[in-house]
Every structure is written in C-alpha cells, then in structure tokens.
Amino acid sequence: MQKHRLTVKNPMLTAPACALLLALLPLAAEAHRPFLLPSTTVVEARDAWVTVDAAVGENAFEFDTSPLWLDRLSIVGPDGEALAPAQTFTGKRRSVFDVQLPKPGSYRIALVGENAMASYKLNGEAKRWRGSVEALEKEIPAGASELQVTRIHTRIETVVSSARSGGEALKPAGIGLEVLPLSAPDEYHAGETARFRVLLDGKPLPDLKVALAPGNVRYRGVLREVTAVSDAKGEFSVTWPFAEMYWISASYPPAPVVAEGQPRPAMPARRWTYAGTVEVQAQ
C-alpha cells in the first residue's frame, strides 16, 4: 500500500456543553472532535444547496458521540449578509441543516460562542462549574473561595463556495481565534499547497500549533494527523497528500506541559479554540 505524508511548510519552522468540550480539546489523536461537515464545499448547480452535519465524534466526521446544538449558528454569504438555515434537526448523534446558496461566492458557516468554566472551594470542598458566561455570577455560591474562572471563546466552522470562491465571508470576523484561507478554498487539490493565516481577535498570531487530520480514519486504521506552526505573520502552508475532508484545530494559549507529580498551574483567564473543515479534491 502506498504511504502518504502530509507536508507542512513554515518559513520559520516548517452549544454550551459542546463549546466547553472544544475548549478543553487537546491536539492528541484520542480527543473527541467537534465539527461541521458539509455535503460538499464546492457547488456548481444553479439552484445551489448544501446539507451540513454538526456533531462531536471520537474521530473527525464520525457520528458516535453527541450532536452540536444550533442555537449559535452563523451563516454569512459572499455579500456579507447573514442567512438562515433551513430544515434544521437535532438527533441523538448529530444535528443537520440545509443552506441555500443564492449568490456566487463563498459562504462561511460557523458555530461561535463564549462560555465559562470555574473551580472554587465551598466549605473546604473543591468544586467545579461549567456553563454560560451569563449564568456564572448567578450560580457560583456567594461563600465560594479560591475562585478561578476561565472564559472560553469557541469557533467551529466550514466554508462552502457556489460557482466560485471569494467575497465578504472570507474576511476576518475580528473576534476569537480564526484560521483563514489565503488560497482559494474551492481549489484545494491533492498534491498542491494551500496557505492559511491564524488570527486572534483580528491580529496575526505567530508560533501557534495547528493540527490537521484527514477524515475516514476508520478505513485507514491510522490517524495521519500532523501539526503546523504559524510564522511571524501568523501564516503556515500545507501540501495535501490525498483527496479527503480535513479537520483543522487550534487553541490558545497552548496547554502547559506538567511533569508527573507536579501541581497543575492555574487556569488562564481567557482561552480561545478553533475547529474547521476543508475539502481537498482529487487532481
């Protein structure tokens, strides 16, 4: 069997509960992975529609864990206008919705939100809490001590293009962690190189590790996940080894490495996470 290698180039080196899951998500192969999976990312039909699955899987694009809730769904068209999904459904393992693409260009489909997690002591007993930022002050007891709070901003997204790529949807949102395409997202092909830029609140983020994993791991038996590191401009490049849907993930600040037996450091006050889906086509 022919082996494939994902080549990474770098100029310097080479719903609330689900949002919290993403916030805690390490880049390890065994981590659960939240994703938006479109039926296709390139549509040529005159009456253009895509169907999108929203779920959390043990591996990318596997429906074996839980659905993602759609209350924070955002769809931005090539003209910068917001669109509403159609035929939404949430089941045991996934949510599903349709998106009509009435104009040529790229559509950015995303679940974006902010939540919080906290640790504290109450009457000498250690407690943990997770929930919305709005509920934080209401649900933490007044007598809590040693309170530590982390606010987590999450973005789970994909880009779909009708007839051609481009438009306002590909511009930075300017909020949270983003991995934006610098190459046309409808022209990712096996054996070719694509470039991306990592932004934090609209500014380039250097030295950030980004993980890339092709789907359908159950049919390969190996994950083949690799990591890239953004350069001084927040950019990195990838040469795609084969056609597949790919899952891209990143988080900031990086999780600290704690030696065995050593206490864990205090949680950061803010944390940002990202998970995106791109499609690589055959040559």
Side-chain angles (χ1 to χ4, degrees):
M1 180 180 296
Q2 183 180 4
K3 295 183 178 180
H4 299 277
R5 177 175 297 176
L6 185 60
T7 304
V8 180
K9 298 179 180 179
N10 184 290
M12 294 181 67
L13 297 172
T14 33
C18 294
L20 284 165
L21 171 64
L22 178 58
L24 298 172
L25 186 67
L27 298 180
E30 65 271 15
H32 285 80
R33 302 168 186 271
F35 58 84
L36 291 177
L37 178 64
S39 52
T40 181
T41 63
V42 182
V43 183
E44 299 291 347
R46 178 175 299 178
D47 184 22
W49 288 80
V50 293
T51 297
V52 183
D53 292 307
V56 178
E58 184 174 350
N59 290 302
F61 319 133
E62 294 184 2
F63 307 106
D64 55 10
T65 303
S66 64
L68 287 172
W69 299 96
L70 304 178
D71 55 325
R72 297 180 180 182
L73 181 64
S74 166
I75 305 171
V76 178
D79 56 2
E81 297 296 320
L83 290 86
Q87 290 82 243
T88 61
F89 166 79
T90 296
K92 179 67 174 178
R93 293 286 185 248
R94 63 181 170 182
S95 294
V96 183
F97 58 94
D98 292 334
V99 180
Q100 187 175 21
L101 316 176
K103 298 179 180 179
S106 293
Y107 294 74
R108 194 173 185 182
I109 305 168
L111 289 168
V112 184
E114 188 171 39
N115 290 275
M117 56 187 298
S119 65
Y120 60 93
K121 285 188 177 180
L122 185 64
N123 299 324
E125 183 179 356
K127 301 284 187 178
R128 293 186 180 276
W129 178 92
R130 300 177 183 180
S132 68
V133 173
E134 295 77 15
L136 178 63
E137 293 185 3
K138 300 177 183 178
E139 298 185 12
I140 299 297
S145 61
E146 300 182 27
L147 176 63
Q148 295 182 12
V149 176
T150 299
R151 295 175 62 174
I152 308 109
H153 186 281
T154 65
R155 174 176 288 272
I156 309 168
E157 71 177 1
T158 189
V159 172
V160 174
S161 299
S162 176
R164 64 174 185 268
S165 63
E168 296 294 314
L170 297 182
K171 293 184 177 180
I175 300 175
L177 186 61
E178 301 178 80
V179 180
L180 289 178
L182 296 179
S183 307
D186 61 337
E187 296 182 1
Y188 298 154
H189 290 92
E192 297 182 359
T193 299
R195 290 193 61 78
F196 296 85
R197 176 178 290 130
V198 183
L199 301 174
L200 180 63
D201 290 342
K203 298 180 180 180
L205 184 61
D207 301 321
L208 186 71
K209 184 181 292 186
V210 181
L212 304 100
N216 281 327
V217 63
R218 68 169 63 190
Y219 303 113
R220 296 191 307 273
V222 293
L223 184 60
R224 290 184 180 161
E225 180 182 84
V226 299
T227 58
V229 178
S230 60
D231 64 15
K233 296 180 180 179
E235 299 179 8
F236 68 92
S237 64
V238 178
T239 300
W240 309 110
F242 51 87
E244 185 59 88
M245 289 286 191
Y246 284 76
W247 188 77
I248 303 177
S249 67
S251 63
Y252 181 83
V257 178
V258 181
E260 185 176 355
Q262 296 298 312
R264 295 189 63 84
M267 297 186 298
R270 296 291 306 274
R271 188 166 181 80
W272 295 263
T273 64
Y274 176 90
T277 300
V278 300
E279 182 177 17
V280 176
Q281 304 173 66
Q283 282 283 10

